[in-house]
Amino acid sequence: MNLYEHCVPQFKKMLGILDSWLALAAANAERRKFDPNVFVSARLAPDMFPLARQIGSACDTAKFTPARITGKDAPKHADNEHTLDELRARIKDVRAYLDTYRSQDLEGMETKVIAPPSLRGKSIVAKDYVIEMQIPNFYFHVCMVYAILRQNGVELGKTDFLGSLPVRDA
Amino acid sequence: MNLYEHCVPQFKKMLGILDSWLALAAANAERRKFDPNVFVSARLAPDMFPLARQIGSACDTAKFTPARITGKDAPKHADNEHTLDELRARIKDVRAYLDTYRSQDLEGMETKVIAPPSLRGKSIVAKDYVIEMQIPNFYFHVCMVYAILRQNGVELGKTDFLGSLPVRDA
């Protein structure tokens, strides 16, 4: 198992799950007769990011992970989404970008030293970057989206968080 | 990197971070002059678990991960905590349990097929169990604790979520 297998397919999966929540949120708003884009600026606390920025951060964390490790440029996003549809388009774009990576692209890079801009001049070993920064950051933002939607009455449950699991009959 | 390296040290680290939030919550309650154990039953939404159960679930997810993979019995916890101190004791107990594992205990178990009770008769490959079930579940519950505390006015920020990172001068 290399770094790719640890995070890239799961980031892609979770972004797909995140996208399905936005579809549920839109349907929920329609049923309750309000503009679904009200969700876009919803926050858990006044000094926390709104939904749009939480989604943008989850997307950025996912796209930058393989990009920083391999030294490639990730696609840019302007953080200017105002609708659920625009946010869903960004998620789709990042999922497609993750699809451009193959397991072998990250082969043997566990101990590579990288200096992602967010560390402002400091460096970190790639495996620590993935395990201690990117995976926690990614789940943080995805979970804040879940929390915002739940608190605003969107009917999500734990199964919607995990998505389908590759289980088999024992 | 085996399954141990991918999750056990990070679970231990995050539980330590979770513990530090409870210390901050207690200090916050003292300053604002209310019983700190009010936080224990706080919820994000009426049909979501309260803080105590979110912490219990994070602890259980962490302890069961190496236990289910290696086929060992994890320590039992009765889910009967009513105070922040009792919750902190549970976290301490699980952190000590994680310390009983060594990297070699999980060596070569990536493709082992296991049947954790939560899958009710189904089985899953150990690496999928870690990446698609346990890590997402663990962060879910840790993030819900963060969200509950933030919404109740405890001053936490992103740095408190990630904790200290093994960075070096570039």
Side-chain angles (χ1 to χ4, degrees), chain A residues 109-114 123-130, chain B residues 166 168:
Chain A
M109 295 202 177
E110 290 79 359
T111 55
K112 181 177 176 182
V113 176
I114 59 171
S123 65
I124 192 166
V125 168
K127 73 177 167 55
D128 297 334
Y129 173 67
V130 169
Chain B
R168 48 178 94 172

Side-chain angles (χ1 to χ4, degrees), chain A residues 13 132 137 151 158, chain B residues 13 122 132 137 151 158:
Chain A
K13 177 183 176 181
E132 300 193 44
N137 257 328
Q151 196 171 57
K158 194 58 174 301
Chain B
K13 176 183 177 180
K122 301 275 182 185
E132 299 192 43
N137 257 328
Q151 196 171 57
K158 195 58 174 302

Side-chain angles (χ1 to χ4, degrees), chain A residues 1-3 5-7 10 13-14 43-45 47-48 110 113 115 119 121-125 127-128 130-133 135-137 139-141 143-144 146-147 150-151 156 158 161-162 164-170, chain B residues 1-3 5-7 10 13-14 43-45 47-48 110 113 115 119 121-125 127-128 131-133 135-137 139-141 143-144 146-148 150-151 156 158 161-162 164-170:
Chain A
M1 290 176 70
N2 69 19
L3 288 179
E5 287 156 0
H6 273 316
C7 63
Q10 182 65 10
K13 177 183 176 181
M14 291 302 304
R43 300 170 194 263
L44 272 187
D47 56 346
M48 287 181 78
E110 290 79 359
V113 176
L119 289 181
K122 301 275 183 185
S123 65
I124 192 166
V125 168
K127 73 177 167 55
D128 297 334
V130 169
I131 295 172
E132 300 193 44
M133 273 182 72
I135 292 177
N137 257 328
Y139 281 113
F140 178 87
H141 296 293
C143 288
M144 292 309 130
Y146 181 96
R150 281 293 261 109
Q151 196 171 57
L156 294 173
K158 194 58 174 301
F161 182 78
L162 289 178
S164 74
L165 295 170
V167 295
R168 47 177 97 171
D169 291 323
Chain B
M1 289 176 72
N2 68 19
L3 288 179
E5 287 155 3
H6 194 47
C7 63
Q10 182 65 9
K13 176 183 177 180
M14 291 302 305
R43 300 171 195 262
L44 274 187
D47 57 345
M48 287 181 77
E110 289 80 359
V113 176
L119 289 181
K122 301 275 182 185
S123 65
I124 191 166
V125 168
K127 72 176 165 60
D128 297 333
I131 293 173
E132 299 192 43
M133 274 182 70
I135 291 178
N137 257 328
Y139 281 113
F140 177 88
H141 295 294
C143 288
M144 293 308 131
Y146 181 96
I148 290 169
R150 281 294 259 108
Q151 196 171 57
L156 294 173
K158 195 58 174 302
F161 182 78
L162 290 179
S164 72
L165 295 170
V167 295
R168 48 178 94 172
D169 290 323

Side-chain angles (χ1 to χ4, degrees), chain B residues 44-105:
Chain B
L44 274 187
D47 57 345
M48 287 181 77
F49 286 162
L51 185 96
R53 188 86 183 263
Q54 300 287 359
I55 292 173
S57 298
C59 285
D60 279 359
T61 305
K63 81 183 179 190
F64 284 134
T65 302
R68 299 300 188 214
I69 295 172
T70 58
K72 289 184 183 148
D73 286 326
K76 290 189 200 310
H77 295 93
D79 277 324
N80 59 358
E81 297 90 356
H82 298 290
T83 68
L84 291 183
D85 284 344
E86 287 167 348
L87 289 166
R88 296 184 69 184
R90 178 159 173 181
I91 291 169
K92 188 177 178 185
D93 196 47
V94 172
R95 293 185 83 220
Y97 176 67
L98 294 177
D99 270 341
T100 65
Y101 285 90
R102 294 288 168 273
S103 179
Q104 54 265 36
D105 297 332

